[in-house]
Amino acid sequence: MAEEEPLHEWAARRDRRRAAEREMTGTRRAVPLADGARASHVAPDAPRALLEWDGQAWVTVGVVSNADAAREFLGHVPTPEPENGPDDRPAHPGLGPGRGRHRKP
C-alpha cells in the first residue's frame, strides 16, 4: 500500500494552489466612467479610466475619451478593416473524395 501524504504537506500544497489561483491575470484595466453596463461595445464613445495594478491596489493613471484609446493602453492592436472586393471572399473549403452520407447526391 502506498504511503499517504502527511496532512501538513497536503495543506501547504493546497494553500500554494489557492494563492496561485488568486493572482491577477493582468496589470492594466480600462473602466468606463458612464453609468450602466461596463462592456466596451455598449458605450464605445464613453470616457474610460485607465488603471494599473501596483502590487497592492488598482491605481488610476489616466483618462481617455473612448474605447479605442483604452484598447491602445491595454496593448490591443487594432485589426485592419477588410477591403471589399470579389477577390477578398473566403474560399469555400474542399469536401474531399467520397460520397459521405452527409452529402447530397
Side-chain angles (χ1 to χ4, degrees):
M1 183 168 136
E3 188 176 325
E4 291 187 14
E5 178 180 23
L7 183 59
H8 63 62
E9 289 179 14
W10 172 84
R13 187 169 43 88
R14 181 198 58 192
D15 291 342
R16 284 192 304 271
R17 186 185 76 240
R18 285 183 177 176
E21 290 173 355
R22 275 186 253 128
E23 287 183 14
M24 291 291 166
T25 57
T27 58
R28 290 183 168 188
R29 287 184 180 173
V31 180
L33 297 176
D35 291 336
R38 296 173 59 109
S40 64
H41 68 280
V42 174
D45 295 328
R48 306 286 200 269
L50 305 177
L51 309 173
E52 281 189 344
W53 183 252
D54 68 356
Q56 299 294 322
W58 290 100
V59 179
T60 304
V61 295
V63 176
V64 293
S65 60
N66 58 29
D68 289 333
R71 281 188 203 96
E72 290 178 18
F73 169 75
L74 295 173
H76 297 280
V77 178
T79 56
E81 293 294 324
E83 296 178 10
N84 294 330
D87 296 335
D88 293 336
R89 289 188 212 146
H92 191 335
L95 294 177
R99 287 185 35 99
R101 292 187 336 177
H102 63 284
R103 298 184 188 145
K104 300 205 181 227

